[in-house]
Amino acid sequence: MTKRVKIGALIGNGGRLNAIWEGTRQADSLAELATVITFKKNSPGAQWARTQNIPTYTVRWPEFRDAGKQRADYDLYIAELLKYCGVELVAIAGWGLMLTKEFLNEFPNRIINVHPALLSDSLEASIRTHSGVSIPVFRGNHALELALAAGVETTGCTVHYVTEEMDCGPVILRREVAIRGGDTLETLADRVHQAEDAILPQAINIACARILDDKNQSGALG
Ligand SMILES: Nc1nc2c(c(=O)[nH]1)N[C@@H](CN(C=O)c1ccc(C(=O)N[C@@H](CCC(=O)O)C(=O)O)cc1)CN2
Ligand SMILES: NCC(=O)N[C@@H]1O[C@H](COP(=O)([O-])[O-])[C@@H](O)[C@H]1O
C-alpha cells in the first residue's frame, strides 16, 4: 500500500476539520492527518482533535507579539511543530493570519487553502462563472459578506496553493454555489461550507498525489 502523505491542518474554529478527517478515513485517501494547529483560543475543532488523540496545538500570535517576537518567528515556530509531526502538506482552513514568506519557504508548493469564494489563478480582479457572467474575485477574510453585498447570483469556493500574495495562488479545485433570493449570511455560508467540505478532501488528495509523484520521480520512495 502506498505510504500516505502526512498532512497538518491549520484552523481557526475548525469548521472544515471533520471533512478533512473523514476524507483521510476513506480507503482511497492519500493523506494522514498528523497534527492540528489553531491560532484561536478555545477552538472547538482543536478540542475535538484532542479527543481523537491527534497531536493538537494552540499557538497564539498575541503571546508572541507581546513577547516582542515577529510574525516570522511565530510562523517558524509553527513550521517546527509541523515538521516535528512529519507533515509534508499543510492544509489551512480558517487560518485567520497571513502566512509569511519564511513559512512559505519551509513548505514550497505544499500549502493549500480553502476559500469561500471563486478565486482566479492570479491577481485578476474578476472571474467568469460557468454561465459566462463576470463577477469580482472576493479575496480576504470577508468573502461571503462581499458576495452578498455585491448582489451577484453566483459565488462558490476554491482550494488553491498558498503564495505570498493573498488568495492568488494556483487553483486546485473550484465549485460554484448559487446565491438565492432571501439568502442571509448564515444560509449562504451553510451552502458554501457544504461545497468546501466536498472539494477540500478531493483537493488534498490531488496535492498528495503530486507530492507522491515528485517523490517517485526523485527516487525518494525507494
Ligand atoms: N501568504 C498567505 N497567507 C494566507 C493566505 C494566502 O493566500 N497567502 N490565505 C489566507 C486566508 N485568508 C483568507 O482567505 C486570510 C486570512 C487572514 C487575513 C488577514 O488580513 N489577517 C490579518 C489579521 C486580521 C485580524 O486580526 O482579524 C493578519 O494576518 O494580521 C487575510 C486573508 C490565510 N493566510
Ligand atoms: N479567508 C479564509 C476564509 O474565509 N476561510 C474560511 O474559514 C472557514 C473555516 O473557519 P473556522 O476554522 O473558523 O471554522 C472555512 O470554511 C473558509 O470558508
Side-chain angles (χ1 to χ4, degrees), residues 11-16 40 93-94 113-116 140-141 167 193 196:
I11 65 169
N13 293 315
R16 309 286 61 77
K40 284 190 172 180
N113 176 47
V114 63
H115 182 73
N141 251 348
D167 302 334
H193 289 161
E196 290 179 321

Side-chain angles (χ1 to χ4, degrees), residues 85-184:
C85 294
V87 165
E88 294 182 281
L89 178 71
V90 183
I92 67 177
W95 187 257
L97 300 170
M98 286 301 289
L99 292 166
T100 58
K101 63 181 181 302
E102 287 82 1
F103 184 87
L104 303 184
N105 290 340
E106 294 296 312
F107 296 94
N109 303 312
R110 295 197 174 179
I111 308 167
I112 65 175
N113 176 47
V114 63
H115 182 73
L118 297 175
L119 295 175
S120 59
D121 278 299
S122 62
L123 289 162
E124 284 161 18
S126 62
I127 187 170
R128 280 197 188 282
T129 65
H130 283 142
S131 57
V133 175
S134 177
I135 62 170
V137 175
F138 301 114
R139 295 185 171 90
N141 251 348
H142 306 286
L144 289 168
E145 295 90 332
L146 292 172
L148 266 181
V152 294
E153 295 182 355
T154 305
T155 186
C157 55
T158 306
V159 181
H160 64 99
Y161 284 99
V162 172
T163 58
E164 210 168 334
E165 293 287 338
M166 181 176 69
D167 302 334
C168 293
V171 170
I172 302 174
L173 287 177
R174 263 189 294 257
R175 180 169 291 191
E176 292 189 2
V177 174
I179 296 181
R180 298 171 184 157
D183 255 334
T184 63

